[in-house]
Amino acid sequence: MTTALITGSTAGIGAAFARRLAADGHDLVLVARDTKRLREQATDLHDRHGVEVEVLTADLAADDGIEAVADRLRARKKPVDLLVNNAGFGNKGRFLEVPMADELRMLKVHCEAVLRLTAAAVEQMRERGRGGVVNVASVAAFVPRGTYGASKAWVVQFTQGAARDLAGSGVRLMALCPGFVRTEFHQRAGMRTDNIPNWMWLDADKLVAAALADFARGRTLSIPDPRYKALMGLVKVAPRGLLGGITSRTGRKYGPQ
């Protein structure tokens, strides 16, 4: 029986990872800010799948929250075999319209927390010669889309670089880059979703199944849908100036800035 720790576990992609991993027989450590929702989620997963589920209330925008999760990842008793760094959020507004405190909070959660938690997990995994980390990024990592896209681009570059450094250690790392997923993400950020075309939406459970299949194949980058794979292929060949204008207009219409 292995143990997986998931940040941002109570909704969206994190909740889908929790459902799938519990169904596969993994014990869980669930991390989020809402203790009540964590406990309800833990009870449901335990009752459905008979796995052990710990809850850890932590705000990854704060140093003490990051350190609390890092301490659990360093624990030698019931060690964590898979870390899913999923916690994240979006800000509504263009650059300079978003308060600087909110921009810095995003970088804290998307970059600093991912760095510190990955390091804490991998240190123990490398000693055991096995383990894995999935860092949830976004297809926004591949287009010029302000702080959100920049933070997710950092996640992709960091993850793939660390994966190369750890090659042969038995520890695998993968950056997961989904597109639009039906979660609480946009609602929490106060963003409209009724103007997003239906074809762009992904199902969280199917996304997680595809991501775990890519992880099992040893991939360091997962774009888990043919539609978004095709879009990202076009992004690679599009002129950067043209791409910047298109993504700026599209981002203001559909996504986080």
Side-chain angles (χ1 to χ4, degrees):
M1 186 75 72
T2 59
T3 299
L5 186 149
I6 306 165
T7 69
S9 71
T10 53
I13 296 172
F17 266 108
R19 289 191 295 270
R20 172 59 187 267
L21 292 169
D24 288 348
H26 299 273
D27 291 337
L28 301 175
V29 183
L30 304 178
V31 179
R33 293 178 298 169
D34 190 325
T35 303
K36 182 175 182 292
R37 290 184 70 178
L38 279 172
R39 289 175 177 169
E40 290 172 351
Q41 182 185 28
T43 298
D44 178 66
L45 292 172
H46 171 75
D47 291 348
R48 285 177 182 269
H49 304 291
V51 295
E52 293 184 21
V53 185
E54 301 173 45
V55 299
L56 176 53
T57 305
D59 182 357
L60 297 183
D63 283 327
D64 57 353
I66 296 174
E67 196 56 32
V69 181
D71 285 343
R72 177 60 186 87
L73 290 166
R74 297 187 193 104
R76 298 184 181 276
K77 181 179 180 181
K78 200 163 183 56
V80 171
D81 305 280
L82 174 66
L83 166 63
V84 180
N85 274 315
N86 167 74
F89 63 94
N91 288 321
K92 182 180 180 181
R94 303 182 190 187
F95 180 58
L96 296 183
E97 294 176 351
V98 178
M100 185 55 63
D102 292 344
E103 297 274 47
L104 292 172
R105 180 169 170 264
M106 176 179 285
L107 293 176
K108 187 89 169 180
V109 175
H110 290 184
C111 300
E112 183 179 339
V114 168
L115 171 63
R116 290 169 61 181
L117 298 185
T118 299
V122 166
E123 190 175 17
Q124 298 298 318
M125 293 173 182
R126 186 169 59 176
E127 287 185 11
R128 299 193 301 272
R130 67 183 187 279
V133 178
V134 176
N135 289 328
V136 179
S138 169
V139 293
F142 306 111
V143 294
R145 282 305 314 133
T147 305
Y148 182 84
S151 68
K152 294 303 186 179
W154 182 90
V155 171
V156 171
Q157 293 296 319
F158 162 70
T159 303
Q160 292 195 293
R164 285 192 292 271
D165 289 343
L166 291 163
S169 70
V171 182
R172 292 176 293 161
L173 289 88
M174 185 183 80
L176 169 59
C177 296
F180 289 110
V181 185
R182 294 197 182 277
T183 70
E184 298 176 2
F185 179 93
H186 294 86
Q187 181 182 358
R188 288 181 174 179
M191 299 172 187
R192 290 178 57 195
T193 59
D194 59 334
N195 57 352
I196 299 175
N198 285 333
W199 69 266
M200 296 184 74
W201 287 107
L202 304 178
D203 176 80
D205 292 306
K206 291 179 181 178
L207 183 152
V208 165
L212 289 173
D214 283 345
F215 187 70
R217 296 185 186 105
R219 293 180 178 171
T220 62
L221 177 68
S222 174
I223 302 174
D225 185 88
R227 292 164 289 181
Y228 281 98
K229 284 186 174 74
L231 284 174
M232 293 306 103
L234 293 174
V235 164
K236 288 181 180 179
V237 299
R240 295 298 288 178
L242 174 63
L243 182 63
I246 292 172
T247 57
S248 179
R249 292 190 298 273
T250 303
R252 288 196 295 273
K253 186 174 182 181
Y254 297 139
Q257 308 304 302

